[in-house]
Amino acid sequence: MGEGSGSGTIRPGGRTARVRASVLRAAGDALAERGFAQLDLADVARRAGVGKTTVYRRWGSIAALMADLLIELAQESVPHTETGDLLGDLRANADLVRRTLRDPRQGALFTAVIAAATWDEPTARALRQFYDSRVTEWAPCVAQAIDRGDVPAGTDPREVIRAVSAPLYYRLLTHGELPDEAAADRAAKAAAAAARAGVFLAGHTDSSV
Amino acid sequence: MGEGSGSGTIRPGGRTARVRASVLRAAGDALAERGFAQLDLADVARRAGVGKTTVYRRWGSIAALMADLLIELAQESVPHTETGDLLGDLRANADLVRRTLRDPRQGALFTAVIAAATWDEPTARALRQFYDSRVTEWAPCVAQAIDRGDVPAGTDPREVIRAVSAPLYYRLLTHGELPDEAAADRAAKAAAAAARAGVFLAGHTDSSV
DNA sequence: ACAGTAATGGTTCTCCAGTTCCGTTAGCTC
DNA sequence: GAGCTAACGGAACTGGAGAACCATTACTGT
């Protein structure tokens, strides 16, 4: 019988990692400089000093490249302090989102990934995974607010965190407006007010507010 | 000197209107059946029974075609009843958004237009215009709530309406989830709670909630 | 150190989205 | 209802994105 069953050793080290890193950096540069619409894999390969064959083989599409760029970004977890105050924590979260979306490179990346995710399923998965991990990082501060009795028991922490991001992304995507401090502040306050009013109680759809 | 300055008569009637209508219908069909990524102008032209030259000349790009499709949709204003109750009105609004996004044709159109708007400025303008008119249609119900003293004076009605849509679009775009009744209900309640708490007071950024 | 083989890279080729060209059709004006 | 020309349509053309091919490079395990 055949030994080793055909699957050779994987080689993520050395050159492969170097190629991946330089392609991702080049892709980020190209995205920031020329924008999503003008992205072309051959140009990325040229900037990265890498054969375009390699880029086509390993990523295959702009969408996949964007997704990989997002995964790379997701590695660097942004630690956050907890203030012991729901509104303070949500403000910190809103401010993180605001700064992320306003950052030229990251902002362009997020709009590009969201756009690509509307037609490319792997990219959509990467995007979901990114937000799920972000939400998981931030949910504890809502859980603590529940423990303090600041927010009704049974509130879904994840839903509260998502409520903070929603208006900021919505404005960016539908109106092209980068969120400013006031918008971030409103987003945090609105989420806090809704959470305190019991809007995010899990399970049942209550008629009362 | 040249007389008439070169601008001939415009001919929007008859054939031109017919061509536009059939191309838009075909584009909507193609979008619903094959999805945004597989859209191609030649196929749209074939479906419409129209020369592809015509489609390229009059629209020139998928993005422009999507924008035109949205403008067409914006014509049919959806009249809405006013219940005399803020939450009721916001629920009606949330439900309109929910039904729009769940409708196969309209939902696909909106995600396509939002994606295209991230790189195509004319499409972005069409999108902004669409939402501005929708928001303008719905803002009065918030104004009435202010008059009734249901919501603090100085609240920005448009901001409240936008707050209803935000979480529904956010979920769709970042998680690929079509909004259900529960989500629409939460969106309406969250916006109402935040509005009543004075989160959408125009002008100043207040530290208190 | 050395064999074995992932993985890369240059080149060439293919194919089709988008353009150009020009003849034809049919609104608009008088 | 006749002429003018805006707008359409078929066909041929083209440029460049992406695939195919195979030689070359350099990780990995022994």
Side-chain angles (χ1 to χ4, degrees):
Chain A
M1 312 295 179
E3 51 183 337
S5 74
S7 80
T9 50
I10 304 166
R11 299 180 182 177
R15 180 169 58 168
T16 298
R18 221 152 42 232
V19 164
R20 185 179 118 99
S22 71
V23 168
L24 291 185
R25 184 165 32 73
D29 291 347
L31 179 62
E33 288 174 29
R34 305 175 60 84
F36 183 60
Q38 261 64 42
L39 272 189
D40 119 75
L41 293 192
D43 177 55
V44 170
R46 217 174 304 119
R47 287 166 179 262
V50 154
K52 78 169 182 170
T53 309
T54 301
V55 177
Y56 276 107
R57 186 171 29 228
R58 289 191 50 184
W59 288 276
S61 73
I62 298 287
L65 197 48
M66 295 296 101
D68 209 7
L69 216 42
L70 182 69
I71 290 168
E72 177 88 350
L73 182 67
Q75 301 302 323
E76 356 172 325
S77 175
V78 183
H80 59 282
T81 58
E82 283 171 9
T83 63
D85 165 54
L86 177 63
L87 183 56
D89 288 339
L90 295 186
R91 271 207 178 101
N93 183 20
D95 208 56
L96 171 63
V97 174
R98 177 185 69 80
R99 279 182 286 111
T100 301
L101 295 182
R102 288 193 80 94
D103 177 82
R105 292 177 70 93
Q106 294 188 24
L109 174 60
F110 275 90
T111 55
V113 169
I114 291 172
T118 64
W119 70 75
D120 184 72
E121 182 49 33
T123 303
R125 272 198 298 276
L127 189 60
R128 280 196 294 271
Q129 188 177 324
F130 177 83
Y131 285 118
D132 283 344
S133 71
R134 273 281 202 277
V135 169
T136 302
E137 287 173 18
W138 284 88
C141 73
V142 180
Q144 289 173 13
I146 296 172
D147 292 341
R148 289 193 303 267
D150 195 10
V151 163
T155 293
D156 180 359
R158 304 176 65 82
E159 204 60 34
V160 178
I161 298 300
R162 279 192 274 258
V164 175
S165 291
L168 303 176
Y169 278 87
Y170 177 72
R171 286 291 275 265
L172 176 60
L173 293 168
T174 62
H175 292 257
E177 292 172 16
L178 290 172
D180 54 18
E181 282 91 347
D185 195 61
R186 274 199 308 273
K189 282 196 219 165
R196 293 205 180 100
V199 173
F200 302 118
L201 291 170
H204 62 105
T205 299
D206 191 348
S207 274
S208 69
V209 178
Chain B
M1 310 295 183
E3 53 184 334
S5 75
S7 81
T9 51
I10 303 166
R11 299 179 182 177
R15 180 170 58 168
T16 298
R18 221 154 40 235
V19 165
R20 184 180 119 99
S22 70
V23 168
L24 291 184
R25 184 166 32 72
D29 291 347
L31 180 62
E33 288 175 29
R34 306 174 59 83
F36 183 60
Q38 262 64 43
L39 272 189
D40 123 71
L41 293 193
D43 178 54
V44 170
R46 218 175 303 119
R47 287 166 179 260
V50 155
K52 77 168 183 170
T53 310
T54 301
V55 177
Y56 277 107
R57 186 169 28 227
R58 287 192 50 184
W59 286 276
S61 73
I62 299 286
L65 197 51
M66 295 296 101
D68 208 7
L69 216 42
L70 183 68
I71 289 167
E72 177 87 351
L73 182 68
Q75 301 303 323
E76 355 170 325
S77 174
V78 182
H80 58 283
T81 57
E82 283 170 10
T83 64
D85 165 54
L86 178 64
L87 183 56
D89 289 340
L90 296 186
R91 272 208 178 99
N93 183 21
D95 208 56
L96 171 63
V97 173
R98 177 185 69 80
R99 279 182 285 111
T100 301
L101 295 181
R102 287 193 82 93
D103 177 83
R105 293 177 70 93
Q106 294 187 25
L109 175 60
F110 274 91
T111 55
V113 170
I114 290 172
T118 65
W119 71 75
D120 185 71
E121 182 48 34
T123 304
R125 272 198 297 276
L127 188 61
R128 280 197 294 271
Q129 188 177 324
F130 177 84
Y131 286 119
D132 283 345
S133 71
R134 272 281 202 276
V135 169
T136 301
E137 285 173 19
W138 284 88
C141 73
V142 180
Q144 290 172 13
I146 295 172
D147 291 343
R148 288 193 304 268
D150 194 10
V151 163
T155 294
D156 180 358
R158 304 176 66 84
E159 204 60 34
V160 178
I161 297 302
R162 278 191 274 258
V164 175
S165 291
L168 303 176
Y169 278 86
Y170 177 72
R171 286 291 274 266
L172 176 61
L173 294 168
T174 62
H175 291 258
E177 293 172 14
L178 290 172
D180 54 17
E181 282 91 347
D185 195 61
R186 273 199 308 274
K189 282 196 221 166
R196 293 206 180 101
V199 173
F200 302 118
L201 290 171
H204 62 105
T205 299
D206 192 348
S207 273
S208 69
V209 178

